[in-house]
Amino acid sequence: ESLRNSLLDTATLVIISFVLMVEISLLIMIYINKHVIPVRGDLLSRFDEMDRSMVRPLGFLVFAAVNVSTSFIPVLMKERYEPMFGLSETVVLGLPISAEMLCLALISVFAGDFIDKRGWKPSFLIGTGIIAAGLALSAWSDSIWLFIAARALVGAGYGFALMAMQSYTVKAPTEASKNHALTELNSGAYAGINFGVVVGGIMADRIGFAEVFVVALVIIFVALFFAWKWMPSVSNAYSAVHMDELL
């Protein structure tokens, strides 16, 4: 039994390492294309060739950071369980994830107007900042109430960041660019979810729950820095006005 579990862990780590290697390789290729290989001068071609692909590593980082705790939150809640409002234990154990999803849904509804006014990048930075606050509170919370509030914060920031990234992709200048950008975002998101869930579960078993939240906090800060430093900051991602000037 012990040998079988070790083999399964090894196989899982090999697969996840391959996923991470692919994402890092793609990021290196994007960097080379953007900073080393000369590109054509017009903005439309620049977006088509490089900028749309940058949303993939960004999505990977955000989804990995948010989902790194998904596999062990019920276990953590079982350790901290205390009766609440006469609710059953099963319901109480699911409250952090429920609070996270509720705030994600609510923020997603109201974030659109803010993103249209302020631009995708400031909105994304705000969202990742809220996620960071939620992850920090998750790591150092010592009560079930604080932990539920922390996950609600993560959900709110997650909604903001997700809507901002989607806004970046759908405001690409052509249908081909939109489709490619959405594909890049979805690919990075699925890879990030798988990476976060698996690695989070493995790390929690070895270093502890609080430490995993700290790792997630580091990942979200990397995403914040990546967006602030390298992602395009044009609020409308090449709006019709800018395209008319170029074409």
Side-chain angles (χ1 to χ4, degrees):
E1 184 71 24
S2 177
L3 177 61
R4 191 177 111 181
N5 290 338
S6 297
L7 289 174
L8 287 174
D9 284 348
T10 302
T12 302
L13 285 174
V14 168
I15 294 171
I16 292 302
S17 298
F18 176 75
V19 171
L20 182 60
M21 181 183 67
V22 169
E23 296 302 319
I24 292 175
S25 299
L26 289 172
L27 178 58
I28 292 172
M29 290 172 61
I30 293 169
Y31 180 85
I32 291 173
N33 285 333
K34 189 173 181 64
H35 295 282
V36 178
I37 299 176
V39 295
R40 297 192 298 273
D42 66 279
L43 193 56
L44 177 59
S45 296
R46 184 176 178 83
F47 186 91
D48 277 344
E49 293 175 6
M50 295 166 297
D51 289 344
R52 65 183 176 181
S53 299
M54 294 176 68
V55 77
R56 175 169 182 151
L58 191 65
F60 175 82
L61 290 168
V62 172
F63 279 83
V66 171
N67 288 280
V68 78
S69 59
T70 301
S71 61
F72 64 78
I73 282 180
V75 179
L76 176 59
M77 282 295 292
K78 197 167 184 65
E79 289 185 359
R80 299 182 179 182
Y81 171 74
E82 59 186 62
M84 297 177 63
F85 307 119
L87 298 172
S88 68
E89 181 180 354
T90 304
V91 173
V92 173
L93 295 182
L95 283 179
I97 295 177
S98 297
E100 184 176 334
M101 293 299 103
L102 176 62
C103 289
L104 167 63
L106 291 176
I107 290 297
S108 297
V109 171
F110 297 108
D113 289 339
F114 184 91
I115 294 171
D116 285 338
K117 292 176 182 176
R118 299 296 181 90
W120 86 270
K121 190 169 182 177
S123 303
F124 178 83
L125 297 179
I126 291 172
T128 49
I130 296 173
I131 293 174
L135 290 172
L137 189 58
S138 297
W140 289 290
S141 62
D142 56 0
S143 75
I144 191 170
W145 290 101
L146 274 177
F147 188 71
I148 293 172
R151 300 317 298 175
L153 268 179
V154 170
Y158 191 18
F160 238 115
L162 179 59
M163 291 298 292
M165 288 187 292
Q166 289 178 340
S167 174
Y168 174 78
T169 62
V170 300
K171 290 182 179 178
T174 66
E175 285 300 319
S177 295
K178 290 178 186 178
N179 293 336
H180 195 151
L182 284 170
T183 300
E184 294 284 358
L185 176 58
N186 289 333
S187 298
Y190 289 129
I193 291 170
N194 290 325
F195 179 84
V197 170
V198 174
V199 171
I202 293 173
M203 287 193 302
D205 189 47
R206 287 163 173 75
I207 65 176
F209 300 134
E211 288 75 8
V212 175
F213 287 120
V214 174
V215 172
L217 186 61
V218 171
I219 295 173
I220 204 65
F221 274 127
V222 172
L224 193 155
F225 179 80
F226 179 85
W228 171 69
K229 188 71 175 176
W230 286 300
M231 292 293 289
S233 59
V234 179
S235 60
N236 289 324
Y238 316 120
S239 65
V241 173
H242 293 101
M243 294 311 303
D244 287 343
E245 295 173 356
L246 291 168
L247 299 177

